[in-house]
Structures are given as structure tokens and as C-alpha cells.
């Protein structure tokens, strides 16, 4: 049984039905996510892009941190659009470093290894295709140099705060004292602004969530009647949890492989979390995960932060 099917059957068998957000990203899902990032309500991408575009010189100085040579490891590199500002500055200032992008997509890693050295002359790229921590371990095996690890895009927000702490502790366990980490956090702000980002007027976020049901139908032989489910986002400004659900519009049955799942009217499938933080919460996470806070980089609205931590 393939992993996708195994997880879907397990997750829909729980008392609280859920689906894993990592499966949002098939070909159609990727395109929808690009649409989300380009829609006017969705601010995180532009905020972080602004930080890298406007502060790349300061970022380069901070991340060099007196290291003569180091490896710049980016977890979930994607197309490296934001990172490119920093990479170019490091090359232009003749820093001896190797860029090690980690991505689950072998296509994306091959693309980065081919195109980045063409765009940024003199850049050394060593792609790592696989899961984050397996590849972080591999980076340590292939090179003993100091490490600077980047996790951009507010990806840490796709974990609950408890799991995020566990994730940061795992990063710390993979690094040496003095190594640096740069992590992007989406900050708490006006609740209307946050909710709108996950409920855009054009319906791209709705379609992005519903697309996972289409994917289950197409790849796993499911028979979801997708029109009988609706997207529901919810934001709690006190806890900072922004969650997405799919709501069953009626009593219905769904068959996947040889299993049947009963949905009651108004029953929800929990889809994903996009956690928002305050600066004290970010600094506390650093402390309890084995880091000290070095500095924060903000966009001009202070809606997003790229925080730099050092391993202690």
C-alpha cells in the first residue's frame, strides 16, 4: 500500500477526521498555491520577499557571523526566489560558502542545481533531495563546515506550537554550538487581515483545500463528491491558530480503496494549521529549543519576521 493511501485511510478513520496538508501539492495544487501567493489578500510571501530584497546586505553580514567558510542549508528551498537576493550578495562579497537546498522534489533540486549557477556566477550548489532531517544529517556527513540553516516562508507555522518546538529542537540536535538558524514567522496582527489571507475572494484557498479530495479521487480511486464539501477557515487571535477545515454539507458516504467512510451533515475534516506568533513567543521558542536570539528582520509593516538564532 502506498504511503499516500495508507495515511489517508488512517487519518479519515480517526474520531476527528483529518487529512495531511503535505498532500496538497500535486501539479494542480502547486498551480493553485502560486495563485494564492499572488492574490491581494495573501501577504506572507510579499512580506518575506521584501525582507530579503531590502535587507540582503544586513542578512549576509549577520549570517556570515565571522565564519570563514560555511554551508548555507535551506530546508524546503522551493524555487529559491527569496534566497537568491542573499546568495548573490554572499557571492559578490566573495564569501566562501556552498548553498545546499533541501527539497522533497527531485525535479526542483535538479532545476536549482542547473539554473542557479547560471544566474549567479560563482555560486556553488549541492542539492539535497529528500526529507528535512535525513538531508540535514547528510549535509553534516558530506561537509564538516559551520552550518547556517534557513527555513523560510513561515513553514514553521504549519505545525502546532508544541510540534514547532519539537521541530526546532531536532534542528538544534543536528547542529553544532555557534551554528546559526534563520526562521520565518508570520506574526499576530489584525484578525481580519489574517482570516482574509486564508479565505481570498477569488476562492483559490478554497479550491486548494478541495483539490486534495480531487487528488484522492484521481490517485486512490476515491469517490468524494467534492461539491458536497465546503471550505471553512477559522482564526483565534488569542492562541494565534489559523485553521482550515472542509465541512460536509450532508450525510454521505465516501469509498476509498476497500474502506467506506461515513460523514454526517456539518461534520468537518481538519486540513491544516497556519500558526501566528508574537515576538516574545518567538524568542521563548528559541530559548527552550537550545538557541539564543541574535536579531530580528522585519518587513516595513512588521507583519512578518525572519529571526536569526544561534546554537548554544
Amino acid at each position: 500500500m502506498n504511503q499516500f493511501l495508507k495515511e489517508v485511510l488512517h487519518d479519515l478513520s480517526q474520531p476527528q477526521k483529518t487529512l495531511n496538508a503535505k498532500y496538497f501539492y500535486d501539479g494542480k495544487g502547486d498551480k493553485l498555491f502560486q495563485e494564492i501567493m499572488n492574490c491581494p489578500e495573501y501577504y506572507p510571501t510579499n512580506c518575506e520577499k521584501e525582507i530579503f530584497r531590502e535587507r540582503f546586505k544586513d542578512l549576509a553580514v549577520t549570517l556570515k557571523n565571522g565564519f570563514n567558510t560555511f554551508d548555507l542549508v535551506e530546508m524546503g528551498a522551493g524555487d529559491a526566489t527569496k534566497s537568491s537576493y542573499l546568495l548573490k550578495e554572499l557571492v559578490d562579497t566573495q564569501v566562501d560558502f556552498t548553498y545546499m537546498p533541501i527539497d522533497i522534489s527531485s525535479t526542483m533540486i535538479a532545476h536549482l542545481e542547473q539554473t542557479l549557477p547560471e544566474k549567479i556566477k560563482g555560486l556553488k550548489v549541492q542539492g539535497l533531495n529528500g526529507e528535512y532531517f535525513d538531508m540535514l544529517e547528510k549535509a553534516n556527513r558530506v561537509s564538516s563546515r559551520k552550518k547556517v540553516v534557513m527555513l523560510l516562508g513561515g513553514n514553521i507555522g504549519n505545525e502546532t506550537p508544541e510540534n514547532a518546538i519539537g521541530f526546532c529542537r531536532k534542528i538544534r540536535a543536528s547542529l553544532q554550538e555557534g551554528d546559526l538558524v534563520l526562521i520565518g514567522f508570520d506574526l499576530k496582527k489584525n484578525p481580519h487581515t489574517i482570516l482574509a489571507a486564508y479565505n481570498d475572494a477569488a476562492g483559490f484557498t478554497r479550491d486548494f483545500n478541495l483539490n486534495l479530495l480531487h487528488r484522492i479521487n484521481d490517485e486512490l480511486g476515491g469517490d468524494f463528491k467534492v461539491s458536497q464539501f465546503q471550505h471553512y477557515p477559522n482564526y483565534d487571535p488569542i492562541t494565534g491558530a489559523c485553521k482550515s477545515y472542509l465541512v460536509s454539507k450532508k450525510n454521505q458516504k465516501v469509498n476509498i480503496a476497500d474502506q467506506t467512510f461515513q460523514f454526517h451533515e456539518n461534520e468537518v475534516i481538519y486540513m491544516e494549521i497556519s500558526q501566528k506568533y508574537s515576538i516574545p513567543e518567538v524568542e521563548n521558542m528559541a530559548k527552550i529549543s537550545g538557541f539564543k536570539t541574535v536579531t530580528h528582520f522585519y518587513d516595513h509593516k512588521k507583519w512578518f519576521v525572519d529571526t536569526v538564532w544561534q546554537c548554544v
Side-chain angles (χ1 to χ4, degrees):
M1 187 185 295
N2 78 32
Q3 190 63 23
F4 181 25
L5 177 59
K6 193 172 167 183
E7 287 191 41
V8 166
L9 295 179
H10 172 270
D11 292 348
L12 291 178
S13 300
Q14 301 309 302
Q16 171 55 70
K17 293 181 178 72
T18 184
L19 287 170
N20 193 319
K22 72 182 178 186
Y23 293 115
F24 282 164
Y25 300 93
D26 62 348
K28 190 178 174 190
D30 289 344
K31 287 190 180 74
L32 284 165
F33 189 63
Q34 290 299 320
E35 296 282 11
I36 290 167
M37 289 196 295
N38 292 327
C39 74
E41 298 94 334
Y42 192 79
Y43 59 83
T45 305
N46 288 335
C47 288
E48 191 170 40
K49 199 179 280 183
E50 180 200 311
I51 293 168
F52 273 75
R53 188 180 63 240
E54 303 295 331
R55 303 292 305 280
F56 62 86
K57 287 184 184 294
D58 298 326
L59 280 164
V61 169
T62 302
L63 296 180
K64 266 192 314 196
N65 191 37
F67 300 162
N68 292 322
T69 65
F70 64 94
D71 299 315
L72 181 61
V73 183
E74 182 171 3
M75 303 171 92
D79 62 5
T81 302
K82 287 176 279 197
S83 316
S84 295
Y85 295 101
L86 172 65
L87 298 175
K88 187 172 187 313
E89 174 65 12
L90 289 170
V91 169
D92 288 350
T93 52
Q94 300 181 315
V95 176
D96 181 9
F97 78 106
T98 300
Y99 177 53
M100 294 183 166
I102 299 175
D103 206 282
I104 198 75
S105 163
S106 56
T107 312
M108 186 56 78
I109 289 297
H111 172 74
L112 292 175
E113 287 184 324
Q114 183 188 336
T115 60
L116 279 178
E118 290 170 4
K119 285 182 194 162
I120 305 170
K121 301 297 180 194
L123 177 65
K124 290 177 280 188
V125 181
Q126 182 169 359
L128 299 166
N129 171 221
E131 298 282 351
Y132 286 166
F133 292 103
D134 293 341
M135 292 304 103
L136 202 45
E137 197 179 299
K138 185 176 178 182
N140 285 326
R141 283 202 307 273
V142 300
S143 166
S144 60
R145 302 201 299 185
K146 299 294 285 182
K147 296 288 184 285
V148 176
V149 173
M150 297 198 303
L151 182 68
L152 306 183
N155 287 340
I156 194 79
N158 295 136
E159 305 283 350
T160 63
E162 298 76 23
N163 288 348
I165 289 166
F167 186 90
C168 291
R169 283 177 171 156
K170 279 183 82 172
I171 294 177
R172 175 62 189 90
S174 305
L175 299 176
Q176 303 298 316
E177 190 175 326
D179 287 351
L180 295 179
V181 173
L182 182 150
I183 307 188
F185 286 90
D186 194 7
L187 297 174
K188 291 176 177 175
K189 59 189 71 66
N190 188 300
H192 295 290
T193 301
I194 291 173
L195 195 55
Y198 298 90
N199 198 27
D200 59 283
F204 293 123
T205 312
R206 175 199 66 211
D207 294 346
F208 182 60
N209 277 260
L210 290 169
N211 182 59
L212 183 44
L213 305 189
H214 286 296
R215 187 178 177 193
I216 291 167
N217 287 350
D218 294 344
E219 295 182 28
L220 306 181
D223 62 0
F224 273 105
K225 294 182 179 63
V226 179
S227 63
Q228 293 304 321
F229 289 85
Q230 61 186 150
H231 169 60
Y232 174 70
N234 167 270
Y235 176 60
D236 180 343
I238 295 172
T239 64
C242 187
K243 296 181 179 179
S244 295
Y245 303 88
L246 292 178
V247 186
S248 176
K249 293 181 182 178
K250 63 176 190 178
N251 292 329
Q252 55 184 313
K253 288 180 181 173
V254 174
N255 300 292
I256 305 167
D258 56 354
Q259 289 194 36
T260 300
F261 299 96
Q262 177 72 50
F263 287 85
H264 300 294
E265 185 177 4
N266 301 322
E267 185 178 357
V268 300
I269 309 173
Y270 171 51
M271 301 296 282
E272 76 166 335
I273 186 170
S274 297
Q275 183 69 34
K276 313 306 172 190
Y277 288 90
S278 66
I279 289 297
E281 287 169 338
V282 169
E283 292 179 345
N284 186 54
M285 185 180 293
K287 191 175 178 182
I288 60 183
S289 302
F291 301 93
K292 69 173 183 184
T293 300
V294 176
T295 191
H296 301 303
F297 292 92
Y298 301 95
D299 64 291
H300 76 281
K301 292 178 180 172
K302 289 205 166 181
W303 281 7
F304 196 96
V305 67
D306 281 309
T307 184
V308 181
W309 298 345
Q310 186 168 37
C311 297
V312 292

